[in-house]
Amino acid sequence: MNLALRDMKFSKLRFALTAVGIGLLLGSTMGMIGLYRGIVHEALLIVNDVGADLWVVEGGRAGPFAETSAVPSNLDRRVEGVPGVAATRRFIQYNQQYTIDGKPVRLAVTGIDYPRDSGSWLPLIAGRLFRSTRYEAIADQSTGLIVGDVIRLGHDDYAVVGLTKGQVDMGGDGMFFVTIPDAQAINRVLPSEAVLLNRLAKGRSRMGLGDGGAIGAVMVELKPNADVKTVQNAIKAWGDVEVLTKQEEQEMILNGRLKRLRVQILAFTAMTLLVAGSIISLTIYMLTLEKLHQIALLKLIGARDRVIVGLIVQQALWIGVLAFLVALAISFTLYPNFPRTVLLLVDDLAGIGLALFIISLIASWFAIRRALAVRAQEVLA
């Protein structure tokens, strides 16, 4: 006979409410960790998928994702001449708010260096890739646009020819892919007064890099036998640019812009698990106090301490198991419908489950200590 299950039957409501309450706490913890994983995934989307070995950005900066970066749009021609470079592509991305069909929409406008880059790395779910260097766009479905839509950005109309899924930036804004000339044209739209001031400033663009405008970075693909460090140092020697490898770009994002968010998530997780442990501990302790007479009776008839310890520990673990199942049900039911990506990784879920197991064991210690202090003679009290 399992004494723990027998005892739980007499307090079904209390065990159920405790498990549901802790399950809600764990579910929120899973959601926070999953949201952080989703933000990391979205922040590294282009870095991981675009296929660049090196990123040439503005000197002294860690752009184009960790911070702003602006380099001349013809920088790629210089980079092409470096030994070991197989191909180069220009890159630009910026966020702006536009009015589409009378509604404000934030877009992460991303320039594709067509025809060098056809955009074949984009996960299309509808439509096609670029066939023209101007006035075509590929939008993420999160923008609310569909294939065939024509929207006006700046002074020009852009036809949506393709649709992607899951292509959003670190802030959750849907990406709007256009060619480099279109991205520059959209970004150069200024009020008339600003245009006059620019003309007085000898035609310099808003980014201060001449009539040719600016881009965020130059992506570099290396030849198979090229040494990354050699090419990196050769370009760095120019003095006016910074060169980052793919791994360095990832590091800049994770330990730069996302560092504080990661610390906050860890602090929130620790706090939630501490609260869950407190609830389990209080529940088991109160249940133990209610059956001190029965525990004394068990000792009187010769029950060993391990039987009593097993009773308390099993009850704590049952609460933890039920709470974990509730948390999983909440997570896999609600989070797929969230507007931001929530990645529930097996390792993270296993880590939370292990932490809950340890916390349940620790939480039962107070009740065990009280139960073992009961003497058999107290059954006569």
Side-chain angles (χ1 to χ4, degrees):
M1 181 176 66
N2 191 305
L3 291 177
L5 292 178
R6 286 278 184 175
D7 186 58
M8 287 170 61
K9 288 182 179 179
F10 291 99
S11 304
K12 290 181 181 178
L13 183 60
R14 182 180 300 183
F15 274 95
L17 291 178
T18 302
V20 170
I22 296 174
L24 291 173
L25 284 173
L26 291 178
S28 64
T29 301
M30 291 177 181
M32 290 296 292
I33 294 176
L35 180 61
Y36 171 74
R37 294 294 189 190
I39 291 174
V40 169
H41 170 73
E42 292 167 352
L44 298 177
L45 268 176
I46 290 183
V47 177
N48 290 335
D49 296 345
V50 78
D53 299 309
L54 295 174
W55 292 77
V56 182
V57 301
E58 184 178 348
R61 293 187 177 271
F65 304 103
E67 57 181 328
T68 57
S69 169
V71 296
S73 60
N74 60 357
L75 178 64
D76 58 317
R77 299 175 188 173
R78 269 204 288 165
V79 178
E80 283 178 345
V82 176
V85 173
T88 61
R89 287 174 287 167
R90 296 175 295 171
F91 177 81
I92 182 173
Q93 186 180 74
Y94 53 87
N95 298 68
Q96 287 187 12
Q97 183 164 304
Y98 304 94
T99 300
I100 301 175
D101 294 333
K103 298 179 180 179
V105 178
R106 283 191 62 82
L107 300 177
V109 179
T110 305
I112 300 292
D113 197 3
Y114 181 83
R116 291 185 183 181
D117 186 351
S118 64
S120 57
W121 50 275
L122 294 174
L124 282 184
I125 59 173
R128 59 173 175 81
L129 299 175
F130 293 105
R131 293 178 184 169
S132 173
T133 57
R134 299 302 304 270
Y135 312 125
E136 289 188 346
I138 298 173
D140 189 75
Q141 65 174 4
S142 61
T143 62
L145 299 171
I146 61 174
V147 175
D149 283 347
V150 177
I151 62 172
R152 191 168 188 83
L153 301 180
H155 302 307
D156 303 304
D157 293 328
Y158 296 89
V160 178
V161 299
L163 201 64
T164 63
K165 181 179 181 180
Q167 298 296 297
V168 298
D169 71 348
M170 196 181 307
D173 297 331
M175 292 189 192
F176 188 79
F177 299 94
V178 292
T179 61
I180 291 290
D182 284 340
Q184 291 177 318
I186 296 171
N187 199 32
R188 280 200 298 261
V189 174
L190 298 171
S192 56
E193 292 80 1
V195 173
L196 292 174
L197 291 173
N198 277 351
R199 289 175 180 172
L200 292 174
K202 298 180 181 180
R204 293 176 66 81
S205 71
R206 175 164 58 182
M207 292 177 143
L209 291 163
D211 293 330
I215 55 175
V218 173
M219 299 181 292
V220 181
E221 294 178 47
L222 301 178
K223 295 178 180 178
N225 59 346
D227 180 69
V228 176
K229 284 296 181 183
T230 301
V231 177
Q232 185 180 20
N233 293 333
I235 301 175
K236 269 187 179 181
W238 298 344
D240 61 334
V241 295
E242 182 62 51
V243 186
L244 302 171
T245 64
K246 177 180 177 180
Q247 292 73 24
E248 289 172 341
E249 194 69 64
Q250 293 170 337
E251 189 74 13
M252 289 290 183
I253 295 174
L254 295 178
N255 294 325
R257 295 189 64 179
L258 296 180
K259 181 178 180 180
R260 290 187 178 182
L261 178 61
R262 181 168 64 251
V263 173
Q264 289 175 337
I265 294 295
L266 291 175
F268 181 85
T269 301
M271 185 186 305
T272 304
L273 293 175
L274 182 62
V275 172
S278 300
I279 295 175
I280 295 175
S281 178
L282 181 61
T283 301
I284 297 301
Y285 190 78
M286 293 303 297
L287 288 171
T288 302
L289 289 181
E290 291 175 0
K291 53 178 177 283
L292 290 179
H293 183 78
Q294 289 82 355
I295 291 174
L297 182 59
L298 283 173
K299 289 190 173 184
L300 183 64
I301 63 177
R304 296 184 178 181
D305 287 347
R306 67 183 183 187
V307 174
I308 299 170
V309 171
L311 164 68
I312 297 172
V313 170
Q314 287 179 47
Q315 288 179 340
L317 292 178
W318 270 111
I319 291 177
V321 169
L322 294 175
F324 188 70
L325 293 177
V326 171
L328 289 178
I330 293 172
S331 300
F332 286 100
T333 302
L334 295 181
Y335 297 146
N337 300 315
F338 273 34
R340 292 295 300 269
T341 301
V342 179
L343 284 181
L344 301 173
L345 302 182
V346 175
D347 290 344
D348 292 335
L349 298 179
I352 293 175
L354 178 61
L356 182 62
F357 174 78
I358 296 173
I359 287 172
S360 298
L361 292 178
I362 296 174
S364 63
W365 179 81
F366 298 98
I368 291 172
R369 183 179 178 183
R370 180 66 183 89
L372 294 181
V374 176
R375 295 178 300 170
Q377 292 87 339
E378 294 182 23
V379 74
L380 302 175

